[in-house]
């Protein structure tokens, strides 16, 4: 079973790692921009990297080709978040230009564009492959239906933090949906986390608010939350923060279960292994750490970047 692990950030380089040894096995140059986000296709053939304002697709298994095989042009500002549909033929992305775009990878131009009416910080694809969820800097969570090409829900959580937008709202920093489609989470940049059950029909009545089933502060007051992700087994939520930690919460009780605190600076990103027993974090301290979640300790460190590591991608699945 091959393990694909890649990190990137502010040094304009993408690094591939031998996960067990910590050795950097390959370096790709990402010209003209920092790298904001990374994603690997399910079949481990391609890596997508989002920068400013382009998205580039690289071959993973052809080390002789250092150049992207496809450059996707259409966004006009930072690409903050991206992902692949399950079959790998389509890519979706969100950008600070205020749009969510869908790309057919047989073409260099986007096939659809949705107006989020605010700079987008995060996008996630519903497991039904038919809805894209976005979180934006205006404090809004939108659900776009790919069948009708319409926004079918616009949720503004009731935040108790000081506003960060002209509308008096707090920016949504991260959104995610669990693999079993039973949990939708959104986290704002003041570390408030909101969780909903998107399948609960009573939460979608006209005129009724989309009430969260849980709401809590993941990091202490004054800390910025940077990323939130649900584990593949749907049992844990990880959040990363400017307080130099990653924290894990039980998605049944929403209680804090672990605080991972070996990084020396901001922790920007985190990704689970396929079996949810390991986690890789990326930090401004120019390193990434592989954590054994059974023990809560780091078992490997990846250090070769010149500046902050702001994104990490991992695919160690056996399928």
């Amino acid at each position: 079973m091959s393990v694909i692990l890649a990190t990137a950030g502010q040094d304009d380089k993408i690094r591939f790692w031998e996960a067990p040894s910590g050795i950097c096995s390959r370096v790709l140059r990402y010209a003209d921009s920092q790298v904001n986000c990374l994603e690997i296709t399910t079949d481990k053939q391609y890596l997508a990297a989002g920068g400013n304002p382009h998205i580039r697709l690289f071959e993973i298994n052809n080390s002789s080709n250092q150049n992207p095989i496809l450059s996707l042009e259409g966004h006009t500002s930072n690409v903050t978040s991206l992902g692949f549909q399950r079959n790998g033929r389509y890519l979706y992305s969100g950008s600070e230009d205020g749009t969510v775009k869908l790309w057919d990878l047989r073409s260099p131009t986007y096939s659809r564009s949705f107006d989020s009416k605010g700079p987008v910080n995060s996008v996630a694809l519903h497991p039904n492959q038919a809805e894209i969820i976005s979180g934006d800097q205006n404090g809004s969570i939108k659900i776009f239906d790919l069948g009708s090409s319409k926004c079918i829900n616009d949720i503004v959580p009731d935040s108790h933090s000081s506003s960060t937008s002209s509308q008096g709202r707090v920016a949504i920093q991260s959104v995610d949906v669990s693999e079993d489609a039973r949990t939708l989470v959104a986290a704002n940049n003041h570390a408030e986390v909101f969780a909903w059950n998107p399948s609960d029909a009573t939460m979608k009545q006209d005129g009724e608010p989309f009430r969260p089933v849980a709401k809590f502060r993941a990091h202490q007051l004054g800390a910025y939350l940077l990323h939130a992700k649900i584990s593949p087994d749907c049992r844990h939520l990880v959040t990363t923060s400017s307080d130099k930690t990653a924290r894990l919460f039980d998605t049944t009780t929403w209680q804090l279960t672990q605080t991972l605190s070996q990084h020396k600076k901001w922790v920007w990103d985190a990704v689970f292994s396929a079996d949810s027993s390991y986690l890789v974090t990326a930090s401004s301290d120019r390193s990434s750490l592989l954590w054994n979640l059974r023990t809560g300790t780091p078992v490997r460190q990846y250090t070769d970047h010149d500046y902050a590591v702001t994104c990490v991608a991992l695919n160690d699945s056996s399928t």
Side-chain angles (χ1 to χ4, degrees), residues 6-11 13-15 17 35-38 282 305 308-312:
T7 58
Q10 295 176 357
D11 62 1
K13 294 182 178 70
I14 300 167
R15 296 183 183 273
W17 303 89
V35 180
N36 301 318
C37 46
L38 293 172
H305 282 283
V309 186
T310 55
C311 50
V312 56

Side-chain angles (χ1 to χ4, degrees), residues 9 11 19 62 66 103 146 183 229 266 271-272 275 303 311:
D11 62 1
N62 183 3
Q66 300 296 303
W103 311 78
L146 298 180
T183 307
K229 185 77 177 171
W266 291 26
V271 62
F272 287 94
D275 67 358
T303 53
C311 50

Side-chain angles (χ1 to χ4, degrees), residues 126-128 177-184 197-199 234:
H126 192 286
N128 65 15
V177 187
S178 61
E179 282 293 321
D180 62 9
R182 296 176 65 179
T183 307
L184 164 65
N197 181 347
S199 61
C234 309

Side-chain angles (χ1 to χ4, degrees), residues 121-181:
N121 284 336
S122 180
V123 288
L125 182 66
H126 192 286
N128 65 15
Q129 307 291 293
E131 296 169 358
I132 294 177
I133 297 95
S134 71
D136 63 47
Q137 292 178 23
N138 289 341
S140 175
I141 301 146
K142 293 182 173 65
I143 301 176
F144 298 100
D145 179 72
L146 298 180
S148 64
S149 294
K150 291 180 179 178
C151 178
I152 58 172
N153 222 321
D154 189 346
I155 310 154
V156 180
D158 180 22
S159 170
H160 294 296
S161 298
S162 56
S163 67
T164 57
S165 75
S166 57
Q167 287 97 332
R169 302 172 182 172
V170 182
I172 299 297
Q173 190 67 25
S174 197
V175 294
D176 197 23
V177 187
S178 61
E179 282 293 321
D180 62 9

